[in-house]
Amino acid sequence: MLGAMALTRSRAGVGLGNVVVRRCHSDSGWKNRRNVVSGFIARVMDNPLPLGVGALVVGILQLRRIMEREKRKEVKETDEVQPSLADPWQVTCYRSLPLRHVSRVWGAVNELHLPNTVRRWVLGAYVRTFGCDLTEAENSDLDSYENLGQFFRRRLKEGVRVVEEGECLVSPCDGRVLHWGQVGSGGLVEQVKGVTYKIEHFLGQSKDPTGVALESVTADKQAPDSDCVPPTCLYQCVLYLAPGDYHCFHSPADWQVTTRRHFPGELLSVSPGIVRRVQGLFSINERVAYLGRWKHGFFSMTAVGATNVGSVKVGLDPDLTTNTRRWEVDTFHQQVWEDGVEVKKGEYFGEFNLGSTVVLIFEAPENFKFNFGVEGEVVKMGRSIGEHQSVIDEIKPSDESVIEEIENTEDTIKPLPLDLSTGEQESVKEMESTGEISKPLPIIEK
């Protein structure tokens, strides 16, 4: 029996006394592996069907890659990128995520008190991640912010944003412009190129007790009887605030706010990549629309919520509460100011807790021009984003008028006498008082 146990242990490679029994080195293992590889190659060559199928698959993939490359070249030449919309089932799955609950949790985290030992480390990591410019902040000391929410809502130093004067429309916030232009026929608004939503879905029903009726601005305009009043149409502009941007938004013009409409909804991401994929995203998300009138007619500014941006605060509307636990899908909450609330261009209007989107939809003359170059262009609050064409012509006269003005000025201004006696100076003053000299001449006293 002991012999059998020893034999068994020796076969297992272990000798008595836990000593491993080692075998002599041999090339047979390598030869066996090489024979296996040779046999596999021989079987593949004897049956070429798998090899042919593999070559066909590789050829199809290569052809597809070439076609996509040529398509990208055509798109680059025409500068027209066709949007790739997500499938309905993808949007449904995305909307089923508990993003509203996540946003409420994130809002609670924002208001948590940060101990002094970790405050600078946490806020500094956020500054580095999103590229925040602390030199523009009214308070650049990170230790003075008790939580993330206070840092998100930081104000700017006085004078770092200059609001352009005149008749121009200015940017209400810091951010990037995603899209701009006229509202399409039938009230179709583009959130980005080729991806649209309806204005009545975005701003609500047409009825408005304050007299701002959407049907009056979405209908096709008739040319006015008077030549002094140019015809108007609807324009729209979409501005995206990144997490590192200044989070407050201001009034883009002098206008009168008459109505607030709060639309509870989803809190999907409004990053440019998602906006290009989800049809009608701005009509799905929670938003707060402020409607009113300005010098050219209808005017609206809408703050669109997003993931982790359920909280929107507006200075003139302290009763506004967003991202509530319970909400109705088919209704909106309306606040009416019968006398209207006057707001001035550049005046503080509201703030987000993180990056989001501001949408302007307004009525303006047909020759209104935006001042953007390309989509994705960075804009700062207070910068001119568009104005009436006649105003541009007044500010920028033609070269001929400038030359004519200079010539007329040269005719009226005569060479000045540089050395006059006291009597001559008195004579000049007397001629100026009687009107014999068209323009006063500066006198240089001795």
Side-chain angles (χ1 to χ4, degrees):
M1 184 175 180
L2 292 175
M5 292 176 62
L7 180 60
T8 302
R9 296 183 64 182
S10 64
R11 288 178 178 176
V14 181
L16 296 174
N18 293 329
V19 178
V20 178
V21 179
R22 305 183 64 172
R23 296 179 297 176
C24 180
H25 172 72
S26 173
D27 294 333
S28 60
W30 168 250
K31 292 180 179 178
N32 292 336
R33 287 193 294 270
R34 187 171 58 183
N35 292 336
V36 170
V37 174
S38 302
F40 175 76
I41 295 175
R43 287 195 298 272
V44 170
M45 297 304 295
D46 292 339
N47 186 10
L49 181 60
L51 186 62
V53 171
L56 180 62
V57 170
V58 172
I60 293 175
L61 292 176
Q62 184 65 19
L63 178 62
R64 183 179 177 182
R65 194 175 296 112
I66 293 173
M67 294 175 64
E68 290 178 352
R69 183 179 61 193
E70 296 298 325
K71 187 176 181 180
R72 286 195 298 270
K73 287 183 180 179
E74 294 177 0
V75 168
K76 188 174 181 180
E77 292 175 356
T78 59
D79 289 331
E80 294 183 0
V81 180
Q82 297 297 328
S84 177
L85 295 177
D87 295 331
W89 68 269
Q90 293 175 323
V91 177
T92 301
C93 293
Y94 187 28
R95 295 181 64 176
S96 65
L97 297 176
L99 297 178
R100 289 181 62 88
H101 302 290
V102 171
S103 299
R104 276 196 297 273
V105 172
W106 176 249
V109 171
N110 289 343
E111 302 303 323
L112 289 178
H113 177 78
L114 293 175
N116 294 332
T117 55
V118 299
R119 184 177 301 174
R120 177 169 289 274
W121 182 83
V122 173
L123 297 180
Y126 183 89
V127 170
R128 291 188 297 272
T129 301
F130 296 105
C132 303
D133 189 359
L134 290 179
T135 61
E136 297 180 342
E138 186 178 46
N139 184 2
S140 59
D141 183 12
L142 294 180
D143 292 330
S144 62
Y145 296 99
E146 296 183 357
N147 52 53
L148 281 169
Q150 289 185 3
F151 181 74
F152 295 153
R153 298 186 295 270
R154 66 191 181 277
R155 301 299 178 92
L156 297 179
K157 293 179 181 177
E158 185 176 356
V160 297
R161 295 289 183 273
V162 178
V163 179
E164 296 196 24
E165 300 179 354
E167 301 295 322
C168 62
L169 188 73
V170 300
S171 173
C173 59
D174 290 3
R176 287 188 293 162
V177 56
L178 294 186
H179 195 65
W180 70 91
Q182 290 190 9
V183 174
S185 60
L188 286 179
V189 187
E190 285 188 320
Q191 58 192 34
V192 292
K193 186 69 174 178
V195 183
T196 61
Y197 57 92
K198 289 191 174 182
I199 189 173
E200 57 265 27
H201 295 164
F202 183 66
L203 295 180
Q205 300 171 353
S206 299
K207 294 181 180 179
D208 190 335
T210 62
V212 181
L214 295 183
E215 64 267 14
S216 66
V217 295
T218 56
D220 294 334
K221 295 287 183 178
Q222 299 291 333
D225 297 334
S226 175
D227 295 336
C228 299
V229 181
T232 61
C233 58
L234 277 183
Y235 294 86
Q236 58 96 12
C237 178
V238 182
L239 298 166
Y240 169 70
L241 291 76
D245 290 328
Y246 170 57
H247 292 97
C248 298
F249 53 97
H250 298 243
S251 174
D254 296 336
W255 62 301
Q256 184 184 66
V257 182
T258 57
T259 308
R260 178 260 288 163
R261 289 177 174 177
H262 172 213
F263 299 82
E266 305 291 348
L267 288 176
L268 309 182
S269 172
V270 293
S271 63
I274 300 297
V275 171
R276 292 186 178 92
R277 299 263 303 161
V278 180
Q279 184 87 27
L281 174 63
F282 295 158
S283 297
I284 297 173
N285 269 15
E286 182 167 9
R287 59 201 179 278
V288 184
Y290 288 88
L291 315 177
R293 303 192 70 83
W294 72 323
K295 59 184 178 181
H296 296 303
F298 174 79
F299 195 92
S300 72
M301 180 166 64
T302 304
V304 182
T307 305
N308 296 335
V309 196
S311 177
V312 179
K313 299 184 183 299
V314 176
L316 60 86
D317 192 7
D319 297 331
L320 175 66
T321 303
T322 58
N323 194 15
T324 56
R325 184 176 298 275
R326 294 185 179 182
W327 55 284
E328 298 174 352
V329 178
D330 300 326
T331 61
F332 60 83
H333 307 284
Q334 182 166 272
Q335 170 70 38
V336 176
W337 294 276
E338 295 182 357
D339 297 332
V341 180
E342 299 289 340
V343 290
K344 300 298 182 181
K345 182 167 65 175
E347 181 181 340
Y348 168 83
F349 199 91
E351 60 190 31
F352 296 105
N353 257 345
L354 203 61
S356 193
T357 299
V358 173
V359 179
L360 302 178
I361 299 179
F362 56 92
E363 191 175 3
E366 287 185 344
N367 54 1
F368 182 89
K369 300 295 182 184
F370 285 100
N371 299 332
F372 302 122
V374 294
E375 291 186 358
E377 180 179 341
V378 176
V379 295
K380 298 295 183 181
M381 191 281 294
R383 170 201 148 174
S384 173
I385 61 174
E387 55 191 318
H388 190 7
Q389 187 65 40
S390 62
V391 175
I392 300 176
D393 295 337
E394 292 177 4
I395 297 175
K396 301 175 181 178
S398 62
D399 295 338
E400 295 180 359
S401 63
V402 174
I403 294 173
E404 183 179 354
E405 184 178 354
I406 294 174
E407 291 176 350
N408 295 336
T409 304
E410 290 177 351
D411 292 339
T412 57
I413 299 178
K414 306 299 182 183
L416 301 179
L418 300 179
D419 190 6
L420 298 178
S421 64
T422 304
E424 291 172 335
Q425 293 178 10
E426 293 178 354
S427 301
V428 171
K429 292 180 180 179
E430 183 179 354
M431 295 173 65
E432 291 175 358
S433 62
T434 58
E436 296 183 23
I437 298 179
S438 60
K439 289 190 176 182
L441 299 178
I443 304 300
I444 303 177
E445 297 183 357
K446 294 183 178 180

